[in-house]
Amino acid sequence: MTDMRKKPRLSHPNRSTQTSVSTGSQTNATGPDDRFVEGAILHIAMKNFLTYDYAVVRPGPNLNMIVGANGTGKSSIVCAICLGLAGKTSVLSRGDKVGHYVKHGCNKGSIEIELFKSGGNVVINREIHVENNQSVWMLNGKHCNQKTVEEEVKALHIQVSNLCQFLPQEKVGEFAKMSKIELLEATEKSVGPPEMYEYHCKLKTFRTSEREMENAVKERNSYLEKSRQRNERNKHDVNRYYEKKRHLDIIELLEKKKPWVEYETSRKELEGVKKERDEAKRQLAALKRAQVPLLTKLQFTEEQRKPIETQMKAKNTAIKEASLSCKQKQDLLDRIHKEIEHIKQTLKMKQTEEDDQRKRISNAKLTIEDLKAELAKVADQPDLTPRINAVNNELRHIQVDRAKMEGEKADLRREKDNLCAELRMLERKLSDMNNMMNIKEEKLRVRHRDTHTALQWLRQNRHLFSGNVHEPIMLVINMKDHRFAKYVETHISFHDLRAFVFQRKDDREKFMVQVRDKMNLKVNSISAPAESCSRQPPSRNIESLRCFGFFTFLREMFDAPDEVMSYLCHQYKVHDVPVGNEQTKAMIRTVIEEPYLKVLYTTDERYTVRRSWYSKRINTSNTAVHPSQYLNITVDAEAKRQVEQQKKVAQLRLQDIDERLNALQKEASSLDRRDNELLSEKKNLCDLNGKKRQLQQKLSTKQERLRQMENSGIDLKKIQEETKEKIAAANSQKTSVVAALMAQMKLRAKLTMEKVYLALGSVGLMAEKTKLENDCREGMGGVRNIDQRCCHLEERKVLLTERCKSLMKRAKSMCRMQPDEALPQDLQTAFSQLPDTLDELDAMLNEERSRAECFTGLSKTVVQEYQKREQEIKQLEQEVNAKNAALTAFRQNISEAKERWLNPLKRLVEQINDKFGDFFCSMQCAGEVDLHFENEEEYDKYGISIRVKFHNSSQLHELTPFHQSGGERSVSTMLYLMALQELNRCPFRVVDEINQGMDPVNERRVFDIVVHTACKETTSQYFFITPKLLNNLEYAQEMTVLCVHNGARMLPPNQWDEEAFTRRCLRRKAQT
């Protein structure tokens, strides 16, 4: 630095570290504030803000270079500028709550920023309170709200949310990610005239309105064209409607004439019927006179035939009586034949019965002889009663043993039923526990399907591995209390929660080859430490931490297999992470001072404590503990183990009972066999003991039966004699019946012959009668025909008379005439032009109706709609013309607004392109900035395209987050901001550590450009933050260097002598 002059600075020492901001400035002939632009920062005061206890920064009007090592507090100044000017915490991407920016251990902090303004400087003060995360705002010493501050900042054209003006360290990478549209809007806001962005927004709105108007015009034009087309189509229908009406008029006239023609036709027909009726009456009288002789002769023949018919009826009655008598005699004869056959059959049955009786007597005698022989044998056997008694006693003992055995079996069965019920209950408990595991597995499948697929493969192929292989950690971890699941799930990343754990590394490699390489699944796997860490003790006993509210370590909150627990202890130190309660949260400032505590949990938050290796300064960050999603489903492992043990014990007892029941069953089977043997023996003994008595009873019974059969013999000779007598009596009766039958048959034959003679006489008379009847019938048929014809003609005359009256009435009615009125002359004239016969009228009427029916789907409403639509078309034409005129006028307004926006924008982009190209050319590179658009009318699609080239062999490529390297993106971003700097609309720009990715050559070139550009009198204030500088850089007198120092052994700020430090540096330089 050349000719550095010290400026006053206020600072208070920190308790553990010292922070200093030294300020260098340039000498100028003008006043101190003459070179500041409207809205430039004059000073920044920070109290209890991030790393500062109290510090005041006084930047210069041009380039301000803030230099310091990492962690000294450079970016804290950037944060102070953003938050002090009502910026959002999201711009900084450091913390979502403003209270996080207050220095650790303090209840509140404050920022004060003074901005240059020609009418009087603006002083903004923001006081941040940690407890409620609220801010108190003051503007020029008066309390106000944040909205007032935002409006004041906006009036000075300060935009801390615009990356073209304010580029914090965390947002450097996002500049290249900005779309062309976003870059254009940021550039307009940053360097364009105030009205440029407003015109752009208006044009977007105008374009939307223009589209709506165009759509409205298109819609009305479309509707108008459709109406015209519809009317054009309906015009033909209207013509057809009138054509149909002409045919309908002719049909009406034909229908009016038709009744008159029908009346005239009916009248003529009536006259002819009258003449025909009179002729029929004369013919009927002549026919009736010719029929009288035939009727007299027919009556005489009928009188001769009646006595013969009477005699024939008497003969028929006598023949029937003789036939009935013959039938009765024949029936009696049949009964006598049957009676003789029955007598013979009875004799045969008696003979057969006599033979059977002799056979039974012979068999009975043989049976008696056998029984006597068997009885003689049985009489020699000893007494069997003692043996029977002994068998009975043994059977009673067996019954007693069996009863005892049945009681024991009943007890065992009851015990077995109880055990089965207990086993079912235990299985239900195990099933419920397993269902909880299934729920966890389903959550894994929904969240990461590849891991679930790999899990299914592992379960089917577990035999392929030689060591222990554990399913994903989230499935094998079992929380002892589901309330604590949120801590474990927050502490262990989901990447590891879904990981498979392997005891052996070769098993892990085999698994990954299969599921990742062959099955193409994205899974995670880990190997457990070679030496188990699952029992590793914590660095401090939990009892020593209870005073802070800690009650356990994470490891004690869950169970897991040894390999899984070993990995979690090794990787996540779950054995050394304490968990506290609300007391811990209340004492958090004291707790984080404790050594060995790196990660800890309170009721709802996680705290991470980091200690600087150099200054031993403590940095903490806290995040909220979110509710658990996977591990809150818990199964008590000890309870599950006890249930499984109880199940095994119950199964063993059940097996023992089954064995005892089988043994008892075998004993019962043995007793049953012995019981059956004894019963069989007893039966045989009883049979032997009662056999003699049974033989004696059978012998006496058989002898008595033999005596009865011998005494009940049949006298066969007597029966044969009685049979002969019965047959003789029956034959005698049969002879008398046959004689009577013959007499009746002769009488019936005689009566039949007499009837035949009478029938021949009756047939002759009947033939003569039939001939006379036919002659009379022929004559009477003619009479009836003529009589019917007369009646028919009379009825027809009456009908025709009525029809003529009806047709006359109908004809006058259709012509709308009075009953006594004559046919008008106009109708007579019209009727004279139409046919005069009904056939011709009907033919013409059918033809006209057919023609009229061809015009289907027509009605009067078609004509009405056609006329109505004609009126609508006229109105639509007027409306469309008005809309087109309005659209033309609106487009003219858009064109004017476009000229006011696009022409300045093109000039602005050309200026940026010139500066940007010059900067790149000075670096032996190439760069272009142009206005990008696809359609001039799509104002929301306009954007700025940046294209750069860093090598002679390559082409210009668009600046993207992917094509260029990090250093190339940083250079491009910096030079674009410098191109904007010379246009000088915004009061200041901030760029934080953008040179980190640059190589030394590009960094030196960019630095020269920044110094040359930002130190011009026409440019605005510029803040350039960097942790390092290259040697032998070119500096300008107009720039200000702000050095930020921080360290445990640094002098307090009030003891710092900048002039003495400069003198020592110059002496050292002169000596070397």
Side-chain angles (χ1 to χ4, degrees):
M1 293 183 292
T2 61
D3 192 16
M4 305 300 294
R5 182 169 58 84
K6 183 177 180 182
K7 289 186 178 179
R9 182 183 62 81
L10 297 176
S11 176
H12 294 288
N14 190 302
R15 289 182 300 173
S16 59
T17 61
Q18 303 299 329
T19 304
S20 174
V21 181
S22 64
T23 308
S25 66
Q26 71 286 346
T27 59
N28 294 296
T30 58
D33 293 343
D34 291 346
R35 294 187 59 188
F36 286 98
V37 299
E38 290 280 329
I41 298 175
L42 296 178
H43 86 275
I44 307 167
M46 296 166 284
K47 183 178 181 180
N48 295 332
F49 185 79
L50 290 175
T51 59
Y52 297 107
D53 287 336
Y54 181 78
V56 177
V57 179
R58 300 184 184 278
N62 296 106
L63 175 62
N64 294 274
M65 183 172 295
I66 302 176
V67 185
N70 288 329
T72 55
K74 304 184 302 301
S75 296
S76 299
I77 299 173
V78 177
C79 295
I81 294 173
C82 176
L83 298 180
L85 296 177
K88 307 297 183 183
T89 56
S90 59
V91 175
L92 302 172
S93 299
R94 282 196 168 195
D96 55 348
K97 296 181 180 179
V98 71
H100 293 167
Y101 293 85
V102 176
K103 186 172 184 178
H104 178 71
C106 300
N107 293 325
K108 63 180 180 178
S110 65
I111 307 166
E112 182 179 283
I113 299 178
E114 183 178 359
L115 304 175
F116 178 76
K117 191 174 182 181
S118 58
N121 293 345
V122 177
V123 180
I124 300 172
N125 188 285
R126 181 176 189 174
E127 189 175 272
I128 303 169
H129 294 266
V130 175
E131 183 177 358
N132 54 7
N133 198 46
Q134 297 293 323
S135 298
V136 177
W137 294 88
M138 294 182 68
L139 183 63
N140 295 328
K142 296 181 180 180
H143 286 281
C144 64
N145 55 24
Q146 184 173 343
K147 183 68 174 177
T148 304
V149 176
E150 291 175 352
E151 291 174 354
E152 184 67 30
V153 169
K154 184 178 180 181
L156 294 172
H157 306 297
I158 298 173
Q159 306 168 20
V160 292
S161 60
N162 189 341
L163 294 184
C164 288
Q165 181 177 347
F166 192 87
L167 190 61
Q169 179 181 351
E170 290 77 7
K171 296 287 186 176
V172 171
E174 292 188 11
F175 186 88
K177 298 179 182 178
M178 292 175 66
S179 66
K180 299 173 184 177
I181 299 171
E182 293 171 342
L183 185 58
L184 173 61
E185 292 180 354
T187 303
E188 287 176 332
K189 294 177 183 177
S190 178
V191 297
E195 65 276 5
M196 179 178 287
Y197 181 69
E198 295 177 2
Y199 280 138
H200 192 182
C201 294
K202 286 181 180 178
L203 282 171
K204 293 179 185 178
T205 306
F206 287 165
R207 179 56 182 159
T208 303
S209 301
E210 182 185 11
R211 288 196 192 98
E212 293 175 355
M213 294 178 71
E214 286 175 351
N215 292 335
V217 170
K218 287 180 182 178
E219 182 182 351
R220 302 312 290 172
N221 274 326
S222 175
Y223 184 69
L224 176 60
E225 186 61 26
K226 289 180 181 178
S227 298
R228 287 172 176 168
Q229 292 175 0
R230 193 179 299 114
N231 247 23
E232 191 62 30
R233 291 194 300 268
N234 290 349
K235 186 175 181 180
H236 178 65
D237 293 339
V238 171
N239 294 334
R240 293 174 67 239
Y241 174 79
Y242 286 119
E243 181 68 16
K244 179 179 180 180
K245 189 172 184 303
R246 185 179 67 80
H247 290 294
L248 292 176
D249 292 340
I250 296 174
I251 291 171
E252 182 181 3
L253 195 60
L254 287 170
E255 289 177 345
K256 286 181 179 180
K257 183 175 181 179
K258 185 177 179 180
W260 291 99
V261 175
E262 290 176 345
Y263 166 73
E264 187 64 24
T265 302
S266 297
R267 187 185 65 77
K268 292 178 180 179
E269 185 179 358
L270 177 61
E271 294 297 328
V273 167
K274 287 180 179 179
K275 293 178 181 179
E276 189 176 355
R277 182 200 59 179
D278 295 340
E279 180 63 25
K281 284 182 178 181
R282 287 193 295 273
Q283 292 177 1
L284 180 62
L287 287 174
K288 285 182 177 181
R289 287 193 296 271
Q291 285 292 105
V292 173
L294 291 174
L295 291 174
T296 303
K297 190 175 181 180
L298 179 62
Q299 185 177 2
F300 176 73
T301 303
E302 179 65 23
E303 288 176 356
Q304 286 181 334
R305 193 181 66 82
K306 284 181 179 180
I308 296 173
E309 289 292 330
T310 302
Q311 292 178 11
M312 287 180 64
K313 289 179 180 180
K315 296 297 180 182
N316 283 332
T317 302
I319 289 170
K320 288 180 180 179
E321 291 176 355
S323 297
L324 180 60
S325 177
C326 287
K327 186 176 181 305
Q328 290 174 351
K329 298 300 182 181
Q330 184 64 44
D331 293 339
L332 179 58
L333 189 60
D334 291 339
R335 285 197 297 273
I336 293 171
H337 281 297
K338 290 180 179 180
E339 185 178 354
I340 293 172
E341 289 297 324
H342 178 69
I343 293 169
K344 292 179 178 179
Q345 188 66 29
T346 301
L347 177 60
K348 290 180 180 178
M349 289 175 63
K350 291 295 182 179
Q351 290 173 348
T352 304
E353 185 180 352
E354 176 64 20
D355 294 338
D356 292 338
Q357 184 74 358
R358 285 198 296 269
K359 290 179 181 179
R360 285 196 295 272
I361 291 172
S362 175
N363 292 333
K365 290 179 179 180
L366 293 174
T367 302
I368 290 171
E369 292 298 329
D370 293 337
L371 288 173
K372 287 180 179 180
E374 190 174 357
L375 183 60
K377 293 179 183 179
V378 174
D380 298 334
Q381 290 182 355
D383 188 10
L384 300 176
T385 303
R387 178 57 186 162
I388 292 174
N389 293 333
V391 171
N392 286 333
N393 290 333
E394 190 173 355
L395 285 172
R396 282 193 294 273
H397 288 304
I398 289 174
Q399 288 296 112
V400 171
D401 293 342
R402 182 182 290 162
K404 290 180 180 179
M405 198 176 298
E406 288 296 328
E408 188 175 355
K409 286 169 66 176
D411 295 338
L412 289 175
R413 288 194 186 98
R414 281 194 298 274
E415 186 176 358
K416 181 179 179 180
D417 292 339
N418 294 334
L419 281 174
C420 290
E422 182 181 356
L423 194 59
R424 286 193 296 272
M425 181 189 68
L426 293 174
E427 287 175 347
R428 282 196 299 272
K429 285 185 178 180
L430 282 176
S431 176
D432 293 340
M433 294 178 178
N434 292 331
N435 287 338
M436 301 297 283
M437 297 302 295
N438 292 337
I439 294 173
K440 292 174 71 174
E441 186 177 329
E442 178 62 19
K443 287 189 175 183
L444 173 64
R445 186 189 66 79
V446 173
R447 178 68 183 275
H448 206 276
R449 188 176 295 274
D450 282 3
T451 302
H452 186 266
T453 304
L455 174 63
Q456 301 301 318
W457 181 88
L458 174 63
R459 289 176 176 173
Q460 297 173 3
N461 300 276
R462 196 180 291 271
H463 61 280
L464 300 177
F465 306 99
S466 54
N468 291 335
V469 181
H470 298 284
E471 295 180 356
I473 293 178
M474 64 178 289
L475 298 182
V476 298
I477 280 183
N478 186 51
M479 299 301 302
K480 296 179 180 178
D481 191 332
H482 67 88
R483 295 175 300 170
F484 301 144
K486 59 182 180 179
Y487 302 119
V488 178
E489 196 167 313
T490 300
H491 194 70
I492 304 172
S493 68
F494 181 74
H495 187 69
D496 278 351
L497 280 176
R498 64 180 179 84
F500 295 85
V501 182
F502 292 82
Q503 184 184 26
R504 296 169 58 93
K505 291 185 178 180
D506 55 343
D507 286 344
R508 178 171 175 264
E509 293 174 358
K510 185 188 300 183
F511 175 78
M512 295 305 289
V513 167
Q514 181 64 36
V515 300
R516 182 181 61 192
D517 300 340
K518 295 183 178 180
M519 299 174 66
N520 197 23
L521 299 177
K522 296 179 180 180
V523 298
N524 187 28
S525 63
I526 53 181
S527 296
E531 295 183 4
S532 177
C533 303
S534 60
R535 297 291 183 266
Q536 185 176 350
S539 58
R540 292 184 63 177
N541 191 290
I542 192 63
E543 296 300 328
S544 63
L545 298 174
R546 289 193 185 278
C547 59
F548 302 114
F550 293 110
F551 56 89
T552 187
F553 291 103
L554 277 182
R555 182 176 63 184
E556 313 307 324
M557 290 182 169
F558 63 91
D559 294 321
D562 187 75
E563 287 82 1
V564 176
M565 185 66 78
S566 176
Y567 172 77
L568 295 178
C569 290
H570 175 76
Q571 182 69 23
Y572 290 96
K573 309 298 181 186
V574 294
H575 65 288
D576 212 18
V577 177
V579 180
N581 50 27
E582 294 294 339
Q583 179 186 353
T584 310
K585 185 175 181 180
M587 301 175 64
I588 192 64
R589 294 174 184 169
T590 305
V591 171
I592 61 177
E593 300 290 342
E594 288 295 312
Y596 307 111
L597 288 181
K598 296 181 179 180
V599 180
L600 58 94
Y601 287 89
T602 63
T603 304
D604 297 311
E605 290 182 315
R606 165 184 168 150
Y607 286 84
T608 304
V609 182
R610 296 184 179 87
R611 289 173 173 80
S612 173
W613 286 98
Y614 305 101
S615 61
K616 304 302 180 184
R617 181 179 179 83
I618 298 174
N619 291 321
T620 62
S621 63
N622 64 312
T623 56
V625 176
H626 300 291
S628 173
Q629 299 182 20
Y630 309 104
L631 302 181
N632 55 351
I633 301 172
T634 62
V635 178
D636 191 340
E638 180 62 24
K640 184 177 180 182
R641 188 189 61 78
Q642 290 178 359
V643 170
E644 291 175 344
Q645 185 63 30
Q646 291 175 3
K647 180 180 176 182
K648 290 180 181 178
V649 171
Q651 288 174 341
L652 291 175
R653 289 176 60 194
L654 191 62
Q655 185 178 356
D656 181 58
I657 290 174
D658 288 337
E659 291 176 355
R660 290 171 61 188
L661 283 172
N662 290 334
L664 289 174
Q665 187 63 34
K666 291 179 180 179
E667 292 180 11
S669 299
S670 177
L671 288 176
D672 289 340
R673 286 194 299 271
R674 181 59 182 161
D675 185 64
N676 291 333
E677 291 172 357
L678 291 173
L679 287 173
S680 178
E681 183 181 357
K682 178 181 177 181
K683 183 176 180 301
N684 293 332
L685 292 173
C686 291
D687 290 343
L688 290 174
N689 196 28
K691 191 173 183 179
K692 182 178 180 180
R693 186 169 54 255
Q694 291 175 359
L695 289 173
Q696 290 174 351
Q697 290 177 354
K698 285 183 179 180
L699 182 60
S700 60
T701 301
K702 292 293 183 181
Q703 289 174 345
E704 180 64 26
R705 179 63 179 165
L706 180 60
R707 282 193 297 272
Q708 290 177 359
M709 286 189 295
E710 289 176 346
N711 293 331
S712 60
I714 300 173
D715 190 355
L716 189 60
K717 293 181 178 180
K718 182 179 179 182
I719 292 172
Q720 290 176 347
E721 291 177 357
E722 291 175 354
T723 299
K724 289 179 180 179
E725 291 176 356
K726 290 179 180 179
I727 291 173
N731 287 330
S732 176
Q733 185 180 3
K734 179 179 178 181
T735 303
S736 59
V737 170
V738 169
L741 176 61
M742 293 302 293
Q744 289 296 326
M745 291 179 68
K746 290 178 180 179
L747 178 60
R748 186 178 62 180
K750 179 182 177 183
L751 292 173
T752 301
M753 290 303 295
E754 291 175 354
K755 177 185 175 183
V756 168
Y757 295 141
L758 290 172
L760 291 173
S762 175
V763 166
L765 293 173
M766 193 64 187
E768 187 178 358
K769 178 184 175 184
T770 301
K771 182 179 180 300
L772 291 172
E773 286 177 349
N774 288 335
D775 295 339
C776 288
R777 193 177 294 112
E778 289 177 359
M780 290 303 293
V783 171
R784 282 195 300 273
N785 290 336
I786 293 175
D787 188 26
Q788 290 175 359
R789 184 181 174 193
C790 288
C791 294
H792 175 69
L793 290 172
E794 185 65 27
E795 291 173 356
R796 190 175 176 192
K797 169 183 170 290
V798 173
L799 290 174
L800 286 172
T801 303
E802 294 297 326
R803 184 180 179 188
C804 288
K805 293 179 180 179
S806 174
L807 288 172
M808 175 61 75
K809 184 177 179 181
R810 178 177 167 221
K812 290 186 177 183
S813 174
M814 290 192 69
C815 295
R816 298 181 180 85
M817 296 170 55
Q818 296 297 326
D820 55 350
E821 184 181 358
L823 187 65
Q825 186 62 37
D826 57 340
L827 284 179
Q828 292 181 11
T829 304
F831 287 169
S832 64
Q833 299 175 1
L834 299 176
D836 293 328
T837 63
L838 280 176
D839 292 339
E840 292 175 347
L841 275 174
D842 287 337
M844 187 174 180
L845 187 61
N846 290 333
E847 181 181 356
E848 293 296 328
R849 282 174 178 169
S850 298
R851 290 180 178 178
E853 287 174 357
C854 292
F855 299 94
T856 58
L858 299 176
S859 63
K860 192 174 182 180
T861 56
V862 175
V863 180
Q864 294 173 351
E865 289 177 0
Y866 178 81
Q867 296 170 350
K868 181 180 178 183
R869 199 173 290 112
E870 284 288 334
Q871 296 296 326
E872 290 180 355
I873 288 172
K874 292 179 182 179
Q875 294 177 0
L876 282 172
E877 288 174 345
Q878 296 174 359
E879 183 180 350
V880 168
N881 292 333
K883 287 185 178 292
N884 282 327
L887 181 59
T888 303
F890 192 76
R891 284 174 175 168
Q892 182 64 31
N893 294 335
I894 293 176
S895 178
E896 294 174 359
K898 179 181 177 182
E899 290 179 2
R900 289 194 294 270
W901 169 73
L902 188 57
N903 293 334
L905 177 61
K906 287 181 177 179
R907 290 193 296 270
L908 177 64
V909 174
E910 287 175 1
Q911 294 175 8
I912 296 173
N913 180 49
D914 293 340
K915 298 295 182 183
F916 190 74
D918 292 343
F919 292 154
F920 263 86
C921 185
S922 67
M923 297 176 61
Q924 288 79 47
C925 301
E928 290 182 358
V929 177
D930 60 4
L931 188 63
H932 174 81
F933 56 87
E934 296 176 358
N935 184 355
E936 284 194 2
E937 306 303 324
E938 299 296 333
Y939 304 107
D940 56 342
K941 301 295 176 60
Y942 274 74
I944 285 182
S945 174
I946 301 176
R947 293 183 296 164
V948 296
K949 181 180 74 170
F950 288 90
H951 306 286
N952 293 329
S953 60
S954 62
Q955 300 293 327
L956 285 169
H957 291 285
E958 189 172 343
L959 180 64
T960 66
F962 315 107
H963 192 275
Q964 291 80 14
S965 65
E968 291 172 345
R969 291 199 301 272
S970 298
V971 170
S972 303
T973 301
M974 192 67 188
L975 295 184
Y976 184 79
L977 293 178
M978 294 314 302
L980 299 182
Q981 179 70 14
E982 291 202 351
L983 298 177
N984 192 22
R985 177 175 174 266
C986 63
F988 64 86
R989 281 190 174 81
V990 177
V991 179
D992 189 2
E993 296 192 16
I994 198 171
N995 59 335
Q996 288 300 297
M998 299 182 191
D999 58 79
V1001 175
N1002 284 333
E1003 184 176 357
R1004 185 176 298 275
R1005 292 172 178 173
V1006 170
F1007 183 83
D1008 292 341
I1009 293 173
V1010 170
V1011 171
H1012 175 73
T1013 305
C1015 291
K1016 291 181 179 180
E1017 293 184 2
T1018 58
T1019 60
S1020 59
Q1021 197 175 39
Y1022 201 96
F1023 291 87
F1024 185 76
I1025 294 92
T1026 177
K1028 62 182 178 64
L1029 287 174
L1030 299 175
N1031 295 326
N1032 302 318
L1033 293 173
E1034 295 291 335
Y1035 297 93
Q1037 187 175 3
E1038 291 80 5
M1039 65 186 293
T1040 302
V1041 179
L1042 305 172
C1043 297
V1044 182
H1045 306 282
N1046 193 349
R1049 303 189 181 187
M1050 198 186 79
L1051 286 173
N1054 54 6
Q1055 298 179 17
W1056 174 257
D1057 189 343
E1058 186 177 345
E1059 293 181 356
F1061 176 77
T1062 305
R1063 286 195 298 272
R1064 286 195 299 273
C1065 289
L1066 292 175
R1067 282 198 301 270
R1068 288 182 182 177
K1069 188 174 181 181
Q1071 291 173 0
T1072 57

